[in-house]
Amino acid sequence: MTANTPRTAGRHFLQIPGPTPVPDRILRAMDMPVLDHRGPEFQRLGKRVLENIKGVFKTKNHVFIYPASGTGAWEAALTNVLSPGDKVLMFETGHFATLWKNMALKLGIEPVFISSDWRTGADPEALEQKLREDKNHEIKAVCVVHNETSTGCVSPIGKIRKAIDAAGHPALYLVDTISSLASIDYRHDEWGVDVTVSGSQKGLMLPPGLSFNAVSEKALKASKTSKLPKLFWSWEEMIPHNKNGFFPYTPGTNLLYGLDAAIDMLNEEGLENVFARHDRHAEATRRAVRAWGLEILCRVPEHYSSSLTAVLVPDGHNADDFRGRVLDAFDMSLGTGLTKLQGKVFRIGHLGDTNDLTILGALCGVEMGLALAGIPHKEGGVQAAMQYFAAQAGKPRSIAAE
Ligand SMILES: *Cc1c(COP(=O)(O)O)cnc(C)c1O
């Protein structure tokens, strides 16, 4: 804030699909003196978070933690298991899948990109067919974004595992869960994922600056023969240090205090209840959008995201002008349309540390903003969400979303 910026009272409504609002308890947990990252106190913290983070990924295997944004963990996943010229199968689910594909190209990997209209998740049948055609097993990995944050479409990770198995193909399975981990049901071990990529600033409720690779035995084995250059991202460099709770370089010490608190909070609520809460907030948001008479970008209901909803604005209107009006009038940030979708959609983030009334506040801001921006719509979206929340409130928490 500059001295010339007038103070805005109350909390800013950060309703973008990440970074998400950081709970006070996590802010307090990080408000600590910086400590010696080679000393005994850090060692206890390091051991604790390296062990406890496994539960969030639903894995018994190792999880690597990097002092980096999610993009770093993408690069770590690719460089640790692949070699120059390797073919990888990727799905064009949206902006983030496209960025990951562009990274693969830069690294000297050869992506085979299955295109889509950015309104659905990845298709297991298309994947199975491509893998069956690959008789010589030239494809070394399948890469999928679980929750495509640019579109609000989720890919069926368990079904894609089954499709890889049905094709009898040995490719590694790499999944980006940056905006789904701790928001949407995810099972690293059960779904046979080889590398799960994630980040701190979305469902984990932390500031940006940490990212993750959860790995399988098969991925660790592949890393022994992978030839892409890596040092900062190298699992091999990390493993001997992690065994004792340490890192080969300075880790994000204070963010790790925050991670420790975030894992406790998720476990206290119960992961299944966290998922049910996200499902409920997503359903309320979709009911509001439908009542306004606007269109949800995701056209396949089974692929609806519980982390965010992308909403199309009618032709002749600009979603970013609308977002600007909402920010000025109500101090709320909504997600912008990315690349192909710029000006065409706005995104309502409903992930992280939110509750029913926060979501209603956000929906109030959207409904008032639609009127201010002159976007044709019907009233009653907030009312529809209120009715849904009120009806759900009497039910046991973990069943409420069903
Ligand atoms: C946010 C996001 C990214 C990028 O992560 P950064 O932390 O910005 O590097 C990648 N993939 C998905 C699905 C995301 O939501």
Side-chain angles (χ1 to χ4, degrees), residues 8-336:
T8 44
R11 291 254 167 150
H12 175 70
F13 266 63
L14 186 63
Q15 297 298 142
I16 59 174
T20 64
V22 179
D24 294 350
R25 181 166 157 195
I26 291 180
L27 290 172
R28 284 197 295 269
M30 295 188 301
D31 183 8
M32 296 283 281
V34 174
L35 76 173
D36 171 11
H37 63 291
R38 312 267 186 219
E41 188 186 339
F42 180 82
Q43 186 174 31
R44 283 191 290 276
L45 172 66
K47 277 190 172 165
R48 203 162 56 237
V49 292
L50 284 163
E51 184 55 34
N52 293 345
I53 191 65
K54 294 177 183 178
V56 182
F57 286 89
K58 297 197 178 150
T59 182
K60 295 198 160 43
N61 285 318
H62 197 74
V63 179
F64 295 96
I65 307 177
Y66 297 103
S69 89
T71 302
W74 266 347
E75 186 161 336
L78 297 175
T79 56
N80 273 287
V81 297
L82 297 169
S83 298
D86 277 355
K87 268 195 190 162
V88 296
L89 193 57
M90 298 175 124
F91 282 93
E92 188 200 359
T93 44
H95 172 76
F96 288 100
T98 304
L99 289 180
W100 203 10
K101 185 255 319 184
N102 291 344
M103 173 188 276
L105 276 173
K106 283 260 183 217
L107 292 172
I109 301 163
E110 283 182 36
V112 178
F113 209 34
I114 301 181
S115 62
S116 96
D117 63 357
W118 291 32
R119 299 194 67 176
T120 168
D123 174 8
E125 281 169 26
L127 170 113
E128 190 177 327
Q129 196 189 328
K130 284 267 183 223
L131 291 180
R132 282 186 192 280
E133 287 164 11
D134 180 39
K135 300 255 188 294
N136 298 330
H137 296 166
E138 283 173 21
I139 292 168
K140 299 301 174 199
V142 171
C143 302
V144 183
V145 175
H146 183 206
N147 182 73
E148 177 53 77
T149 321
S150 60
T151 67
C153 298
V154 170
S155 289
I157 300 305
K159 284 187 186 151
I160 293 172
R161 169 79 263 167
K162 290 206 176 96
I164 299 172
D165 293 345
H169 200 288
L172 292 159
Y173 189 17
L174 278 49
V175 179
D176 169 349
T177 65
I178 295 176
S179 62
S180 56
L181 190 79
S183 304
I184 299 172
D185 186 20
Y186 186 76
R187 311 169 191 185
H188 176 89
D189 286 359
E190 188 184 322
W191 291 342
V193 178
D194 293 301
V195 189
T196 298
V197 172
S198 206
S200 56
Q201 75 272 28
K202 298 180 187 179
L204 286 176
M205 311 176 285
L206 294 162
L210 291 180
S211 56
F212 307 88
N213 275 180
V215 299
S216 69
E217 284 301 328
K218 187 174 163 186
L220 285 173
K221 199 158 162 254
S223 74
K224 303 262 187 313
T225 52
S226 135
K227 296 207 169 45
L228 280 172
K230 62 244 169 212
L231 182 111
F232 185 80
W233 308 118
S234 168
W235 298 340
E236 205 179 355
E237 298 278 330
M238 201 72 119
I239 287 169
H241 295 269
N242 279 180
K243 281 209 170 92
N244 301 313
F246 293 120
F247 291 79
Y249 38 68
T250 317
T253 46
N254 287 49
L255 283 169
L256 293 175
Y257 279 125
L259 177 61
D260 196 24
I263 298 168
D264 283 348
M265 290 168 74
L266 290 168
N267 290 335
E268 286 165 20
E269 185 175 353
L271 271 181
E272 303 316 310
N273 291 327
V274 171
F275 302 147
R277 172 165 59 80
H278 282 77
D279 291 344
R280 188 171 75 244
H281 293 160
E283 178 60 27
T285 302
R286 290 190 296 266
R287 286 180 185 223
V289 173
R290 288 194 199 103
W292 292 323
L294 297 177
E295 194 179 348
I296 296 166
L297 180 67
C298 181
R299 57 177 170 74
V300 182
E302 305 87 75
H303 294 177
Y304 282 154
S305 167
S306 289
S307 295
L308 76 135
T309 301
V311 183
L312 283 154
V313 296
D315 282 344
H317 295 270
N318 186 305
D320 285 336
D321 294 344
F322 158 75
R323 289 174 50 255
R325 297 299 290 265
V326 170
L327 179 61
D328 288 346
F330 306 117
D331 195 29
M332 174 162 73
S333 297
L334 294 165
T336 186

